Structure formats: C-alpha cells, structure tokens
Amino acid sequence: MKYIPKNIERVIEEFSKMPGIGPKSAERLTFYLLKKTESDIRNIGDTISKLKEGIKYCEICKNLTTETKCAICEDSSRNQSTICIVEDVLDLIALEKANEYKGAYHVLHGLISPVEGIGPDELTITDLVDRVQNNDIKEVIIGLNPSMEGEATASYIMRFIKPLNVRVTRIARGIPVGGDLEYADSQTLKRALEGRLEY
Amino acid sequence: MKYIPKNIERVIEEFSKMPGIGPKSAERLTFYLLKKTESDIRNIGDTISKLKEGIKYCEICKNLTTETKCAICEDSSRNQSTICIVEDVLDLIALEKANEYKGAYHVLHGLISPVEGIGPDELTITDLVDRVQNNDIKEVIIGLNPSMEGEATASYIMRFIKPLNVRVTRIARGIPVGGDLEYADSQTLKRALEGRLEY
C-alpha cells in the first residue's frame, strides 16, 4: 500500500493481526482513530502500551492483579471457602458480570489439550491442589467449558481433589436461556434432563 | 469491573468505543494483547500513538500524506489528467486494491448531508473545481457511493465542473460480481440495463 503513509499502514497491519478483525475492519478502525485529535490518539496508544505494566498473577487464585493478591481474594465479604475453577480470566469476567457468584476463583490459564501440546504442568493445577489441601475449603465448583478439553481437564483435576474430602460440584449444562429445545443437540438435552430441578 | 486491574479495564474500554466492536470482542482483543510480551505490547501502543504524526492532506488531491504531495500525485507513471472523485481515503484504498485505475484522485472527505449538517463548504469541492479549472484535466470520474448523499454531492459538483468542458463519467452501477439478479433491487437492475455494454 504505497498510496498511504507508512504510519497509517502499520496501524492497519497491527489491527489485522488481531483475532476476528479482517483487513477491511482493520482499515475502518484505523480511520476511526485518524478522525481523533493527535493527543487523543497518543492517549489511546499509551493506554495500550501500559496494558501489562505491573500485571502479575494473584498468588492465591492466579487471576490478574497489580498487587500480591487480586481484588477478589482480598474481598472479605466474599466466601473464600468456595472455589470456582475457570479456564481463563475471560471466563471469570463473564461469571462476575452475571453477578451471582460470591465465592473465590481459581484460574487455570488454559485446559489440558494434547492436540495443542498443553499438559497439566502448563496449568495452575498444582497450586489449586495445594490450595484446597492447606486451606479450609468447603466446595470446589468446576466452571469449565463443556468441551472435550474441559471434560478431560475436569476429570484430571478430580483425581487430586476427590481424595481431599471436599464437596465438588459443576455448573449446570442445559438449554441456555432464550435457547430453543428443538435445536438443542442430544447431549445437551440429556444433561438438561439429568440436571432437572423441582418446579 | 473491580475484579481486574485498571490498566486492563482501560484497554477494554478503548476497544469498546471502536466501531463494530462490542464489549465481548473488546475483552477478547485485550486478552489477545495480554498474551504478548510487554515489549511487543509497547510497540503496538507506540505504533498507534504515532498514527497521525506528520500526517496532512496532499495539497493536490487531499489524500493523506506526510509530504506536500501524496505518493499518487507524485507518481509520473500515473495519468494525472484523469481525476476520480472519492468520498474518503477508505474508498481510495478500495479502488487502489482493485488495481485497475491508473489516474489521480480527489478526496472529498465526506458527502453533502443536510441530515448530518455537512454542507459543501465542509468538503474539498472548491479545491477540486480550482484543480480542474487550472490544470490540463481530460476526464473527471465520479467514484461516489450510489446513495442519496452520493447522488446529491455528485449533482452539486456537476454544477461547477460541467461548464469547464471536461469529460465527466461515473463508475457503473449494476449487479456486483457474484451477486444474484433475483435479489437485486429494481433501481440496480434499471441502472444495469441502462449501462449495458456490447458483448
């Protein structure tokens, strides 16, 4: 693209590399930014530059934080004896937005996936087991995706958690709210029936 | 979102403001960046910060450039006596990618739109008329969208260009390649018939 300045081309390139952004969207985003003032653009650039500044894993739950412990582990109003295991921080955010769960988390930062070469040692499973073993944990909720990797990871974790005599639950699988029974797959329907509750 | 660090929240916010990016995509983009090294992230931030650095309008065609004239106006291998009028730089990029047109451009930076309060004076129409008047221009191609604003802008421009005795053409309106005649609206079909060419 020699017909537009290099600065602009570079930003289009960066956007194109991002997931779900095609070349046309990348151009559109870049020209959206170009309509802003230079100082606004610099602020956005700075905000992105600082994204990872001082970010580390919470020493307890492996959520992201700038302190030693994350805001959730520090929050004494939350039930710290219940741990919900999630794949990544995006899942934690989704659960927090539902505004229902008031316990703690444990972020695995991935799922066991032989295809992608991710073994249990790449995840934070050892920390989880230590945490359950050495603290007064009453319940562990498995909040992993109902995918093959999610199931495999859940059963791997169970091997270590089960002997510790803690209540273990998993989030319900069933018809999503607003979903259509007619279009649900048979595995989902099976789980929905198994998990039925009193009316 | 007090459960994640402020730095991260700010980046999610910036992405959310961009066109076509919802809150979920904004989170996904941010966490895509978080997987990169701090120095990679800083590079991306810097690239964005520098987006508008030294960018100005080409004094001839109003394309974006860091020099006095843009790369297209400087290119002596292109036919500088043909001008294609486009709404914005995104349209110029789209035409350049088609790799068919080898003339010059004139970027209006908008269309006349009474609804949005954009009058002819906000656009680069005066510069265009001066350019056609004072240079050896053989053809002006109207490369504007076939929308109401595009048509209005085209006919406004024609008032000034027609008396200058230049050949004026407009890009063809018709069935897009890969499109379906059955689903084309009647205005498009009408234009497609009007614009038919010898087989």
Side-chain angles (χ1 to χ4, degrees), chain A residues 67-104:
Chain A
E67 316 295 325
T68 338
K69 291 185 193 179
C70 79
I72 294 173
C73 288
E74 284 284 18
D75 187 344
S76 58
S77 76
R78 298 184 72 123
N79 179 358
Q80 300 290 347
S81 67
T82 303
I83 298 175
C84 180
I85 306 174
V86 289
E87 177 182 342
D88 54 29
V89 180
L90 284 173
D91 290 347
L92 181 154
I93 293 176
L95 282 165
E96 281 301 293
K97 279 187 177 160
N99 204 18
E100 166 75 22
Y101 181 63
K102 298 292 172 213

Side-chain angles (χ1 to χ4, degrees), chain A residues 158-175:
Chain A
M158 273 315 94
R159 269 195 254 166
F160 303 96
I161 301 282
K162 259 283 157 67
L164 301 178
N165 241 338
V166 189
R167 184 181 177 209
V168 179
T169 56
R170 79 189 308 164
I171 55 167
R173 288 154 305 172
I175 313 290

